[in-house]
Amino acid sequence: MACEFMDIVTTIIYIVLFIIMMAFVFSIGMLKHYMPKREVILVLFVAFLIGSVGGAFFLEPIYEELPNMASVVEKNMPNNEETLYLDLSSSVDTNELRNVLSGMKGFKSFDETSISIPMWSFNEQEHEYFDSIVGNIDSHYKDYNVTSDRINIELEENYTSSEALKTFSDWYKLVYGETLSYAQIQAVLVVDSYELESFEQALLDKGIVASHIDGPIQDSINNTNSSMLSNVQFVLVCGGVGVIVALIGIYMDSVVPAYRRFNKFMNTKRKR
């Protein structure tokens, strides 16, 4: 809560500082009467420069947070869930990880779905051999796929990666007399959307980052990102705002009387 409050205060300060910069640009524009006409171009250039710098330093950090701001509604909707796809090293104790995650608020499920075992580059005969034998090693292998240098095994529900790796390792040692040094585990974690950040931090503390996330929050972030300007484009737009503010200052003496005449005309028309 304190961190969010500081973020709000920082955002307000940055916006106020940008407004102050625009007020300075406006005041420069109003000095048109005291400068030669050819200096107007210089004023507009300075206005563009100030707007760009102000946008880059004060508004761009806020702009970059728009996807997270847009996801706040989805984050607080009841029953929304996020699905995190994890690629884990076989050195990770998945049982301990499961215990840690399942004890957290917002936990829904944690399933180890498959293992991927890197091998050497198979020749045709070796590829055919592994393709025919892997399915017979363990009846809990739901499915498997043998590529040119890797064996991918899908696991049955409630069958852990450690059990699957043990049966394959035992077979491999029996046939080849060697032990496997590494494998990759694919797991799926489902959590409440509101607690997504807590789970991401818990995973990060163990050196784990989700390879992919599906859910309302991530969809909202992706949709917002796809509609946003690039950082360079945003800075240029801020520079354009500086130019517009400068032009308003330059032509203020013409704009104000015109506005008053227009307002007087509209009031007269209403009375009729």
Side-chain angles (χ1 to χ4, degrees):
M1 183 65 71
C3 183
E4 292 180 358
F5 176 75
M6 288 302 298
D7 289 341
I8 294 172
V9 171
T10 301
T11 298
I12 294 174
I13 291 174
Y14 280 0
I15 293 174
V16 169
L17 288 174
F18 183 79
I19 293 174
I20 291 173
M21 294 181 75
M22 291 301 98
F24 176 69
V25 168
F26 179 81
S27 64
I28 293 176
M30 293 191 69
L31 296 176
K32 182 193 73 169
H33 298 295
Y34 304 98
M35 65 180 72
K37 288 186 177 181
R38 63 178 181 272
E39 298 296 334
V40 172
I41 300 299
L42 179 60
V43 170
L44 295 179
F45 174 76
V46 171
F48 178 82
L49 190 62
I50 293 175
S52 299
V53 172
F57 280 94
F58 301 130
L59 297 188
E60 188 177 342
I62 301 172
Y63 186 68
E64 289 177 344
E65 288 299 315
L66 282 181
N68 292 328
M69 295 178 186
S71 67
V72 169
V73 175
E74 298 294 346
K75 179 179 177 180
N76 290 281
M77 289 291 288
N79 301 321
N80 275 357
E81 297 179 352
E82 303 295 316
T83 303
L84 293 80
Y85 297 89
L86 311 177
D87 292 325
L88 310 173
S89 168
S90 54
S91 61
V92 173
D93 188 337
T94 54
N95 291 325
E96 179 191 359
L97 180 62
R98 182 193 302 273
N99 291 335
V100 170
L101 297 175
S102 62
M104 295 177 60
K105 181 182 178 182
F107 174 83
K108 294 295 184 180
S109 65
F110 178 80
D111 296 310
E112 300 165 56
T113 58
S114 62
I115 58 174
S116 181
I117 307 170
M119 307 292 283
W120 62 89
S121 184
F122 298 139
N123 58 37
E124 185 176 347
Q125 184 178 359
E126 289 170 334
H127 186 281
E128 290 179 356
Y129 172 70
F130 279 104
D131 198 30
S132 63
I133 199 66
V134 171
N136 299 321
I137 297 174
D138 191 328
S139 61
H140 294 291
Y141 294 171
K142 182 179 179 180
D143 197 4
Y144 68 93
N145 170 254
V146 180
T147 67
S148 60
D149 61 354
R150 186 177 291 267
I151 298 174
N152 304 301
I153 301 172
E154 293 184 27
L155 308 179
E156 286 185 351
E157 191 175 353
N158 299 323
Y159 192 62
T160 66
S161 59
S162 58
E163 293 172 313
L165 285 170
K166 184 179 185 307
T167 56
F168 188 89
S169 298
D170 290 345
W171 172 86
Y172 186 79
K173 187 173 184 178
L174 180 65
V175 174
Y176 290 93
E178 299 177 2
T179 57
L180 295 172
S181 59
Y182 175 79
Q184 192 175 59
I185 302 167
Q186 285 77 45
V188 177
L189 172 65
V190 181
V191 304
D192 281 336
S193 293
Y194 184 75
E195 298 293 339
L196 176 61
E197 291 182 6
S198 299
F199 281 91
E200 286 183 314
Q201 185 58 52
L203 291 170
L204 189 61
D205 290 342
K206 293 184 174 295
I208 302 169
V209 177
S211 59
H212 181 66
I213 301 177
D214 280 336
I217 289 181
Q218 195 61 38
D219 290 343
S220 176
I221 291 174
N222 292 339
N223 292 336
T224 305
N225 279 328
S226 65
S227 63
M228 290 176 65
L229 301 173
S230 68
N231 289 345
V232 173
Q233 291 172 327
F234 180 75
V235 170
L236 293 177
V237 168
C238 291
V241 171
V243 172
I244 293 173
V245 171
L247 287 172
I248 294 174
I250 290 172
Y251 295 104
M252 178 57 70
D253 290 343
S254 303
V255 171
V256 172
Y259 171 76
R260 288 174 178 172
R261 286 195 298 270
F262 176 77
N263 196 35
K264 183 178 181 181
F265 170 77
M266 293 301 295
N267 289 333
T268 304
K269 190 175 180 181
R270 289 193 193 97
K271 289 178 181 180
R272 290 177 182 176

